[in-house]
Amino acid sequence: TLALLHRARGGVLAPVTGEDGRLSTSRTVAAVWVLLASYSVLVVAVQLALAPGADAPARLLAGLDLGRGAGLLTVLALCCAVAVTVHRIVALRVRAQRLQKVRADRPRAADLLTDDGGRGSFTDVQYVAVCSVAAVLAAVRLARRPGELPDLPWGLALLVAISALTYLAGKYSEGGRPVILSVVRSREVGDLDSPIRTGDDIEIRGSGFVPPGAETPDRLARTTVRIGAVHVHVPLVPVAGGFANPADTVLTVPVPVDVEPGRVEVQVITAAGVETNRYSIDVLD
């Protein structure tokens, strides 16, 4: 039923899927610790219901003492706090146009270890690795003493905290707003130098024009350049293994005849809907 109701958001993976349609590393790690802690308490509850003898309930309840499960509860609280904080950071940076997000077709397991462009991410990999090792140790201790909360060493809890801070720092520093650095007339070898005129191709140089995850033709086709009051869709130029235009650092578009001669502003709108700064150029008739 859960998968049916949330099939558009990842099915049974909906609780750990981000708004961009990818598996969220922070939510998945937090979910693992929530399930582990819940299972630990459930095992104690089942044993408490079935335990024979008058002293068994007191012995089982002693296994839930705060001193025994402090490490587990600390890691659980930390991972849940990271999941909430990352969600807030990403949402604020997207709204402020400091982070570009392109929705994925479906969640994949590789999302836990890669960035939006499918490249391996150090911050994600180290966070998943450290938390996985800690979770395995907690599971082993729970298997050996099923009547008690697994007691994680404080040294391991500190290691998880350092990993979580590294992951948070990476999330806060990733991305950036696309920017136009310069606009020049596109020139072939042997062409004469001349000013920009209507009908010429211009080369827009900068960074962040192609958001991670927007390398497919249908998404690249959404890239638009506003020249004055005219919106120009960036023509796709395919090459082996991808596209030469648009590229992340350079775009080439024609100046339409509808552009009024004079001083006009150029602005790029990426496939994620983020606008760059405005750059002024002079267009001659």
Side-chain angles (χ1 to χ4, degrees):
T1 303
L2 179 63
L4 183 62
L5 292 176
H6 297 86
R7 59 185 180 275
R9 296 289 302 276
V12 293
L13 298 177
V16 294
T17 301
E19 283 69 21
D20 59 354
R22 297 176 177 85
L23 282 182
S24 169
T25 302
S26 58
R27 294 185 190 182
T28 301
V29 169
V32 169
W33 284 105
V34 168
L35 291 176
L36 182 59
S38 300
Y39 180 75
S40 302
V41 176
L42 181 62
V43 169
V44 175
V46 171
Q47 290 187 345
L48 186 62
L50 303 177
D55 60 336
R59 175 174 52 82
L60 290 172
L61 289 176
L64 298 177
D65 286 344
L66 181 60
R68 185 179 301 278
L72 173 66
L73 297 178
T74 300
V75 172
L76 172 63
L78 179 63
C79 291
C80 290
V82 167
V84 174
T85 304
V86 167
H87 174 74
R88 183 64 175 170
I89 289 175
V90 171
L92 289 178
R93 288 174 63 82
V94 169
R95 292 170 188 168
Q97 297 191 3
R98 296 178 181 175
L99 180 64
Q100 301 190 71
K101 279 287 186 180
V102 177
R103 185 172 179 81
D105 296 328
R106 58 183 177 83
R108 303 177 305 156
D111 295 337
L112 300 177
L113 305 176
T114 60
D115 59 14
D116 292 353
R119 298 176 293 270
S121 170
F122 167 75
T123 55
D124 290 50
V125 170
Q126 62 86 28
Y127 186 51
V128 171
V130 170
C131 290
S132 296
V133 170
V136 169
L137 177 61
V140 170
R141 294 206 171 193
L142 176 62
R144 296 188 63 182
R145 296 181 179 180
E148 302 175 355
L149 287 177
D151 52 334
L152 288 181
W154 282 110
L156 184 57
L158 179 59
L159 179 61
V160 173
I162 295 174
S163 176
L165 290 176
T166 303
Y167 176 74
L168 275 178
K171 283 297 178 182
Y172 187 79
S173 62
E174 71 178 6
R177 186 169 184 173
V179 59
I180 297 177
L181 300 178
S182 61
V183 178
V184 299
R185 176 178 174 270
S186 183
R187 176 178 175 272
E188 299 291 338
V189 177
D191 286 352
L192 297 176
D193 296 328
S194 64
I196 298 174
R197 301 179 185 275
T198 54
D200 288 345
D201 288 343
I202 57 173
E203 189 176 278
I204 304 172
R205 302 169 182 174
S207 65
F209 298 147
V210 179
E215 293 82 6
T216 57
D218 58 323
R219 289 171 178 168
L220 286 177
R222 302 176 186 172
T223 308
T224 307
V225 176
R226 182 187 295 121
I227 306 176
V230 182
H231 289 77
V232 183
H233 286 83
V234 179
L236 303 185
V237 180
V239 293
F243 292 86
N245 190 57
D248 191 60
T249 57
V250 62
L251 304 177
T252 301
V253 294
V255 179
V257 294
D258 295 331
V259 174
E260 295 291 337
R263 194 162 189 83
V264 298
E265 292 183 333
V266 177
Q267 189 175 34
V268 177
I269 305 171
T270 70
V274 178
E275 299 179 344
T276 65
N277 57 305
R278 298 175 185 268
Y279 192 94
S280 297
I281 61 173
D282 293 311
V283 178
L284 301 184
D285 195 357

